[in-house]
Amino acid sequence: MPIVNVDAKSWHGKSIRSRFEEKIIKPEKTYATTDCWIWNAGLRGNNGYGGFRVNATSIRLAHNVSYELYVGDIPKGMKVLHKCDNPLCVNPSHLFLGTQQDNIKDRDIKGRQRNRYSVKQLGKASDLKGGQ
């Protein structure tokens, strides 16, 4: 479901766009397209992806919100994937659309299948947030 009127004031009295941008750590306060923009707020679920409360009843994946704010709508059946493989990154230049099959293929090519050792080897998402 697309975000409607991202610059309209939300129940917080701020626009969705301004609330979203307050929760991002950008490298040296620039909009550099080469570096990850780290989501510095709540997580959604236990998979390390950021969560953003769009309104009083809807929490969305932060990278999906970023795509909609800076790129455009997400067509039905498509997912927002990361070029950088950082689940906390919301830099729109690191995001692209693909199917679930594309995501699986990308995962396999890059050798990032989850297994019982993944968290031990890579650390938890909460550890990534503060370190970057």
Side-chain angles (χ1 to χ4, degrees):
M1 164 186 266
I3 300 172
V4 179
N5 197 355
V6 297
D7 292 312
K9 302 287 187 234
S10 69
W11 83 102
H12 284 285
K14 297 179 181 179
S15 70
I16 289 173
R17 184 185 309 274
S18 66
R19 284 184 38 248
F20 184 84
E21 290 178 348
E22 289 173 352
K23 298 171 185 347
I24 301 171
I25 298 172
K26 294 178 186 151
E28 300 182 23
K29 299 197 180 220
T30 67
Y31 288 89
T33 58
T34 56
D35 296 322
C36 289
W37 296 359
I38 303 301
W39 183 250
N40 192 34
L43 300 179
R44 181 168 176 225
N46 62 357
N47 58 5
Y49 289 91
F52 178 71
R53 184 175 295 277
V54 176
N55 58 43
T57 61
S58 177
I59 298 175
R60 305 268 312 278
L61 290 169
H63 64 286
N64 288 359
V65 174
S66 180
Y67 189 90
E68 289 187 49
L69 288 174
Y70 302 109
V71 180
D73 290 339
I74 303 168
K76 186 175 179 156
M78 299 298 278
K79 299 195 174 286
V80 178
L81 312 178
H82 286 90
K83 294 175 188 173
C84 60
D85 296 328
N86 180 348
L88 292 175
C89 180
V90 295
N91 184 335
S93 70
H94 292 193
L95 305 174
F96 65 100
L97 291 176
T99 63
Q100 181 60 26
Q101 204 59 28
D102 295 331
N103 199 22
I104 291 168
K105 187 187 298 182
D106 185 53
R107 175 201 69 191
D108 292 345
I109 288 169
K110 294 176 179 175
R112 55 177 168 75
Q113 296 88 336
R114 283 191 172 239
N115 60 46
R116 63 184 176 165
Y117 304 109
S118 294
V119 172
K120 210 178 251 186
Q121 292 169 346
L122 302 174
K124 297 177 185 169
S126 57
D127 296 338
L128 292 172
K129 210 164 70 169
Q132 294 198 13

